[in-house]
Amino acid sequence: MPTLRGQQTSLRAMTRDDLTLLHRWLNDPDIMQWWDGRDHKASFDRVEARFRRSIENSDRESQRFMIEVDKDGVTRTIGMIQFSRLQPRAKNSQIDVLIGEPEYRDAGYGTDALRAALKHLFEDLKAHRVWHTMQAGNVRAQKSAEKIGFVREGVLREHDQVEGKYVDVVVFGMLRDEWLKQGP
Ligand SMILES: CC(C)(COP(=O)(O)OP(=O)(O)OC[C@H]1O[C@@H](n2cnc3c(N)ncnc32)[C@H](O)[C@@H]1OP(=O)(O)O)[C@@H](O)C(=O)NCCC(=O)NCCS
Protein backbone atom coordinates (compact mmCIF):
# COMPACT_ATOMS: atom_id res chain seq x y z
CA MET A 1 0.00 0.00 0.00
CA PRO A 2 1.41 3.43 -0.87
CA THR A 3 2.10 6.08 1.78
CA LEU A 4 -0.07 9.11 0.95
CA ARG A 5 1.29 12.56 1.69
CA GLY A 6 -0.76 15.55 2.73
CA GLN A 7 0.67 18.95 3.65
CA GLN A 8 0.66 18.28 7.40
CA THR A 9 0.00 14.53 7.59
CA SER A 10 1.13 11.23 6.06
CA LEU A 11 -1.16 8.24 5.66
CA ARG A 12 0.62 4.90 6.07
CA ALA A 13 -0.40 1.27 6.13
CA MET A 14 -1.79 -0.13 9.38
CA THR A 15 0.39 -2.56 11.35
CA ARG A 16 -0.25 -4.88 14.30
CA ASP A 17 1.49 -2.34 16.59
CA ASP A 18 -1.34 0.12 15.90
CA LEU A 19 -3.91 -2.10 17.63
CA THR A 20 -3.13 -0.65 21.07
CA LEU A 21 -3.89 2.87 19.85
CA LEU A 22 -6.99 1.75 17.95
CA HIS A 23 -8.24 -0.08 21.04
CA ARG A 24 -7.79 3.07 23.13
CA TRP A 25 -9.49 5.32 20.57
CA LEU A 26 -12.44 2.96 20.09
CA ASN A 27 -13.09 3.13 23.83
CA ASP A 28 -12.78 6.93 24.07
CA PRO A 29 -16.22 8.48 24.73
CA ASP A 30 -15.29 11.69 22.87
CA ILE A 31 -14.81 9.63 19.71
CA MET A 32 -17.40 6.95 20.26
CA GLN A 33 -20.28 9.39 20.65
CA TRP A 34 -19.73 10.16 16.94
CA TRP A 35 -18.83 6.61 15.90
CA ASP A 36 -20.54 3.46 17.27
CA GLY A 37 -21.86 5.08 20.48
CA ARG A 38 -20.41 5.39 23.98
CA ASP A 39 -22.30 2.28 25.04
CA HIS A 40 -20.11 0.15 22.75
CA LYS A 41 -17.12 -1.22 24.63
CA ALA A 42 -14.56 -2.67 22.26
CA SER A 43 -12.44 -5.47 23.70
CA PHE A 44 -8.92 -5.82 22.35
CA ASP A 45 -9.93 -9.06 20.60
CA ARG A 46 -12.83 -7.35 18.90
CA VAL A 47 -10.60 -4.52 17.70
CA GLU A 48 -8.08 -7.07 16.43
CA ALA A 49 -10.82 -8.93 14.54
CA ARG A 50 -12.13 -5.67 13.05
CA PHE A 51 -8.73 -4.59 11.70
CA ARG A 52 -7.01 -7.94 11.02
CA ARG A 53 -7.59 -7.87 7.26
CA SER A 54 -6.32 -4.30 7.00
CA ILE A 55 -3.13 -5.27 8.83
CA GLU A 56 -2.69 -8.24 6.51
CA ASN A 57 -3.53 -6.05 3.49
CA SER A 58 -6.21 -8.53 2.46
CA ASP A 59 -9.32 -6.40 2.99
CA ARG A 60 -11.39 -6.44 -0.22
CA GLU A 61 -14.00 -4.01 1.10
CA SER A 62 -12.02 -1.08 2.43
CA GLN A 63 -8.59 0.49 2.70
CA ARG A 64 -7.39 1.83 6.01
CA PHE A 65 -4.45 4.08 6.79
CA MET A 66 -2.96 5.44 9.99
CA ILE A 67 -2.53 9.22 10.11
CA GLU A 68 0.91 10.44 11.16
CA VAL A 69 2.36 13.87 11.83
CA ASP A 70 5.98 14.92 12.17
CA LYS A 71 6.44 17.56 14.83
CA ASP A 72 9.80 18.76 16.14
CA GLY A 73 11.50 15.71 14.60
CA VAL A 74 9.14 13.27 16.30
CA THR A 75 6.64 11.17 14.35
CA ARG A 76 3.34 10.63 16.10
CA THR A 77 0.42 8.45 15.02
CA ILE A 78 -2.71 10.51 15.68
CA GLY A 79 -5.62 8.93 13.84
CA MET A 80 -7.06 6.62 11.24
CA ILE A 81 -8.78 7.10 7.89
CA GLN A 82 -10.69 4.52 5.89
CA PHE A 83 -12.47 4.40 2.57
CA SER A 84 -14.41 1.70 0.80
CA ARG A 85 -12.99 0.12 -2.35
CA LEU A 86 -14.43 1.73 -5.48
CA GLN A 87 -17.83 0.40 -6.37
CA PRO A 88 -17.01 -1.20 -9.78
CA ARG A 89 -19.66 0.44 -11.98
CA ALA A 90 -20.40 3.76 -10.28
CA LYS A 91 -16.82 4.22 -9.03
CA ASN A 92 -17.89 5.72 -5.74
CA SER A 93 -16.29 5.37 -2.33
CA GLN A 94 -17.37 6.22 1.21
CA ILE A 95 -14.77 7.80 3.48
CA ASP A 96 -14.46 8.14 7.28
CA VAL A 97 -11.80 9.71 9.46
CA LEU A 98 -10.95 9.98 13.12
CA ILE A 99 -8.32 11.95 14.97
CA GLY A 100 -7.79 9.77 18.03
CA GLU A 101 -5.37 11.96 19.97
CA PRO A 102 -7.44 14.82 21.47
CA GLU A 103 -4.67 17.44 21.47
CA TYR A 104 -4.42 17.03 17.68
CA ARG A 105 -8.09 17.85 16.98
CA ASP A 106 -9.13 21.29 15.70
CA ALA A 107 -5.67 21.83 14.26
CA GLY A 108 -6.43 20.98 10.64
CA TYR A 109 -4.97 17.45 10.66
CA GLY A 110 -8.25 15.60 10.02
CA THR A 111 -9.04 17.87 7.09
CA ASP A 112 -5.52 17.50 5.70
CA ALA A 113 -5.74 13.69 5.93
CA LEU A 114 -9.10 13.74 4.14
CA ARG A 115 -7.56 15.86 1.37
CA ALA A 116 -4.66 13.43 0.96
CA ALA A 117 -7.07 10.50 0.70
CA LEU A 118 -9.31 12.38 -1.77
CA LYS A 119 -6.29 13.13 -3.96
CA HIS A 120 -5.47 9.41 -4.04
CA LEU A 121 -9.07 8.41 -4.72
CA PHE A 122 -9.69 10.91 -7.52
CA GLU A 123 -6.25 11.16 -9.13
CA ASP A 124 -4.76 7.66 -8.69
CA LEU A 125 -7.83 5.43 -8.44
CA LYS A 126 -10.02 7.58 -10.74
CA ALA A 127 -13.02 7.69 -8.41
CA HIS A 128 -16.11 9.41 -9.81
CA ARG A 129 -17.66 10.28 -6.45
CA VAL A 130 -16.60 10.23 -2.81
CA TRP A 131 -19.14 10.56 -0.02
CA HIS A 132 -18.83 11.19 3.65
CA THR A 133 -21.48 10.99 6.36
CA MET A 134 -21.70 11.99 9.98
CA GLN A 135 -24.33 12.43 12.67
CA ALA A 136 -26.19 15.72 12.36
CA GLY A 137 -24.87 16.76 15.78
CA ASN A 138 -21.25 16.41 14.70
CA VAL A 139 -20.71 20.05 13.75
CA ARG A 140 -16.92 19.76 13.75
CA ALA A 141 -16.92 16.96 11.15
CA GLN A 142 -19.33 18.97 8.99
CA LYS A 143 -17.12 22.04 9.22
CA SER A 144 -14.15 19.94 8.15
CA ALA A 145 -16.08 18.52 5.15
CA GLU A 146 -17.16 22.01 4.08
CA LYS A 147 -13.59 23.34 4.30
CA ILE A 148 -12.52 20.72 1.74
CA GLY A 149 -15.31 21.55 -0.68
CA PHE A 150 -17.64 18.63 -0.08
CA VAL A 151 -21.22 19.50 -1.06
CA ARG A 152 -23.87 19.05 1.62
CA GLU A 153 -26.32 16.82 -0.23
CA GLY A 154 -28.97 16.21 2.38
CA VAL A 155 -30.09 14.67 5.61
CA LEU A 156 -31.08 11.03 6.10
CA ARG A 157 -33.68 11.36 8.81
CA GLU A 158 -33.26 9.04 11.80
CA HIS A 159 -30.98 6.90 9.63
CA ASP A 160 -28.86 5.55 12.47
CA GLN A 161 -29.40 4.50 16.04
CA VAL A 162 -26.71 5.57 18.49
CA GLU A 163 -26.84 5.01 22.23
CA GLY A 164 -30.44 3.86 21.88
CA LYS A 165 -31.65 6.99 20.07
CA TYR A 166 -32.38 7.50 16.38
CA VAL A 167 -30.16 10.20 14.91
CA ASP A 168 -30.20 12.13 11.64
CA VAL A 169 -27.22 11.58 9.36
CA VAL A 170 -25.85 14.29 7.05
CA VAL A 171 -24.53 13.24 3.63
CA PHE A 172 -21.70 15.13 1.95
CA GLY A 173 -20.45 14.28 -1.53
CA MET A 174 -17.76 15.35 -3.96
CA LEU A 175 -17.62 14.56 -7.67
CA ARG A 176 -14.47 14.07 -9.67
CA ASP A 177 -14.96 17.31 -11.68
CA GLU A 178 -15.42 19.27 -8.47
CA TRP A 179 -12.14 17.92 -7.11
CA LEU A 180 -10.24 18.58 -10.35
CA LYS A 181 -11.61 22.14 -10.52
CA GLN A 182 -10.10 22.87 -7.11
CA GLY A 183 -6.60 22.56 -8.61
CA PRO A 184 -3.47 21.53 -6.68
C1 LIG B 1 -14.06 15.27 12.96
C2 LIG B 1 -12.53 15.26 12.89
C3 LIG B 1 -12.06 14.13 11.98
C4 LIG B 1 -12.10 16.60 12.25
O1 LIG B 1 -10.70 16.65 12.21
P1 LIG B 1 -9.95 17.91 12.86
O2 LIG B 1 -8.52 17.79 12.54
O3 LIG B 1 -10.34 18.03 14.28
O4 LIG B 1 -10.66 19.07 11.99
P2 LIG B 1 -10.11 20.50 11.59
O5 LIG B 1 -9.27 21.08 12.66
O6 LIG B 1 -9.52 20.44 10.22
O7 LIG B 1 -11.49 21.30 11.43
C5 LIG B 1 -12.44 21.32 12.45
C6 LIG B 1 -13.17 22.65 12.38
O8 LIG B 1 -14.33 22.58 13.22
C7 LIG B 1 -14.33 23.67 14.11
N1 LIG B 1 -15.09 23.23 15.28
C8 LIG B 1 -14.72 22.39 16.27
N2 LIG B 1 -15.73 22.21 17.14
C9 LIG B 1 -16.78 22.95 16.66
C10 LIG B 1 -18.10 23.18 17.11
N3 LIG B 1 -18.58 22.59 18.21
N4 LIG B 1 -18.88 24.00 16.37
C11 LIG B 1 -18.44 24.59 15.25
N5 LIG B 1 -17.17 24.40 14.77
C12 LIG B 1 -16.38 23.58 15.47
C13 LIG B 1 -12.87 23.96 14.35
O9 LIG B 1 -12.66 25.25 14.85
C14 LIG B 1 -12.33 23.80 12.92
O10 LIG B 1 -12.67 24.90 12.12
P3 LIG B 1 -11.55 26.00 11.68
O11 LIG B 1 -10.45 25.29 11.00
O12 LIG B 1 -12.31 26.92 10.77
O13 LIG B 1 -11.11 26.64 12.96
C15 LIG B 1 -11.87 15.09 14.30
O14 LIG B 1 -12.15 16.22 15.09
C16 LIG B 1 -12.33 13.85 15.03
O15 LIG B 1 -11.82 12.78 14.76
N6 LIG B 1 -13.30 13.98 15.96
C17 LIG B 1 -13.77 12.86 16.77
C18 LIG B 1 -14.34 11.70 15.96
C19 LIG B 1 -15.25 12.10 14.82
O16 LIG B 1 -16.13 12.92 14.99
N7 LIG B 1 -15.02 11.53 13.64
C20 LIG B 1 -15.81 11.79 12.46
C21 LIG B 1 -16.95 10.83 12.40
S1 LIG B 1 -17.71 11.03 10.86
Side-chain angles (χ1 to χ4, degrees):
M1 238 163 59
T3 294
L4 309 179
R5 308 248 174 235
Q7 293 195 333
Q8 300 166 277
T9 61
S10 299
L11 313 185
R12 61 152 175 88
M14 188 177 274
T15 71
R16 189 155 290 280
D17 290 344
D18 296 316
L19 286 173
T20 308
L21 279 179
L22 289 162
H23 178 240
R24 173 156 60 79
W25 297 340
L26 295 182
N27 285 286
D28 178 344
D30 290 340
I31 295 170
M32 292 314 285
Q33 67 173 316
W34 306 121
W35 209 257
D36 296 340
R38 286 167 291 202
D39 50 352
H40 268 76
K41 295 288 164 230
S43 68
F44 191 87
D45 285 352
R46 210 158 135 186
V47 172
E48 205 260 345
R50 184 163 172 177
F51 295 109
R52 185 183 304 129
R53 287 202 186 91
S54 300
I55 291 166
E56 293 167 352
N57 198 16
S58 64
D59 192 333
R60 285 158 187 255
E61 286 171 13
S62 60
Q63 274 196 284
R64 294 188 168 112
F65 295 82
M66 301 305 288
I67 304 170
E68 281 186 346
V69 290
D70 284 319
K71 216 174 172 187
D72 307 324
V74 179
T75 302
R76 181 111 189 252
T77 303
I78 62 161
M80 192 267 292
I81 189 160
Q82 59 186 22
F83 47 83
S84 56
R85 302 261 181 201
L86 286 196
Q87 203 277 340
R89 204 149 35 93
K91 301 216 177 330
N92 66 48
S93 171
Q94 184 178 9
I95 194 161
D96 286 305
V97 59
L98 76 82
I99 298 299
E101 299 300 316
E103 68 272 30
Y104 286 85
R105 290 187 204 126
D106 294 330
Y109 295 120
T111 305
D112 187 70
L114 271 173
R115 262 201 203 99
L118 287 173
K119 182 172 168 49
H120 178 59
L121 278 157
F122 284 122
E123 297 179 20
D124 301 331
L125 304 181
K126 312 295 182 206
H128 178 70
R129 164 183 164 79
V130 180
W131 55 294
H132 182 38
T133 68
M134 68 288 294
Q135 292 177 41
N138 195 349
V139 182
R140 176 159 56 189
Q142 290 167 58
K143 187 111 187 263
S144 164
E146 279 160 357
K147 281 198 286 179
I148 299 170
F150 270 106
V151 174
R152 179 186 290 262
E153 296 181 331
V155 175
L156 303 173
R157 294 173 308 143
E158 301 193 5
H159 180 71
D160 202 358
Q161 204 192 84
V162 182
E163 300 173 12
K165 286 193 189 125
Y166 285 104
V167 293
D168 292 349
V169 169
V170 184
V171 182
F172 282 87
M174 192 186 295
L175 303 180
R176 179 179 178 71
D177 287 353
E178 291 163 350
W179 171 262
L180 295 177
K181 264 188 215 141
Q182 285 192 14

